[in-house]
Amino acid sequence: MDTAGSSHVLIVAPYADAALAGKAFANLRRNLDPYHKVLEAGADFFVFQDFQNLFGRVELREQRIMIMVKLAQRPPRPVE
């Protein structure tokens, strides 16, 4: 559940090391489905809105990528 009490999906993709995770993150960002509009981006995250007006956030954390989708509200910036 998100802070509004709505459900969402969390996908965790682990990689062998941080370099591979970084390459996968860059590839995901570069090839994001055109039906997803990037609203905010940083070196290790981006926030998007999909064609159903739901939100998502992708974060690079060391050797894994964390993806949250189907959020009813725009997520806050990741804690730095």
Side-chain angles (χ1 to χ4, degrees), residues 53-66:
N53 290 320
L54 295 173
F55 298 91
R57 181 175 67 206
V58 179
E59 292 181 46
L60 176 61
R61 293 190 186 172
E62 298 176 9
Q63 60 190 63
R64 65 182 185 264
I65 298 173
M66 310 281 289

Side-chain angles (χ1 to χ4, degrees), residues 2-3 40 45-47 55-59 61 68 71 73-79:
D2 66 18
T3 55
E40 181 178 10
F45 81 98
F46 62 92
V47 174
F55 298 91
R57 181 175 67 206
V58 179
E59 292 181 46
R61 293 190 186 172
M68 294 178 69
L71 297 164
Q73 296 181 10
R74 184 175 176 163
R77 276 190 86 123
V79 176

Side-chain angles (χ1 to χ4, degrees), residues 22-34:
K23 287 179 183 179
F25 176 82
N27 186 52
L28 176 61
R29 175 65 183 92
R30 206 173 30 252
N31 294 297
L32 190 65
D33 188 310

Side-chain angles (χ1 to χ4, degrees), residues 1-57:
M1 298 263 204
D2 66 18
T3 55
S6 301
S7 63
H8 64 271
V9 175
L10 173 64
I11 302 164
V12 179
Y15 290 85
D17 59 42
L20 285 174
K23 287 179 183 179
F25 176 82
N27 186 52
L28 176 61
R29 175 65 183 92
R30 206 173 30 252
N31 294 297
L32 190 65
D33 188 310
Y35 286 107
H36 294 78
K37 177 182 174 186
V38 174
L39 304 174
E40 181 178 10
D44 59 356
F45 81 98
F46 62 92
V47 174
F48 62 89
Q49 188 171 19
D50 69 16
F51 67 99
Q52 295 176 316
N53 290 320
L54 295 173
F55 298 91
R57 181 175 67 206

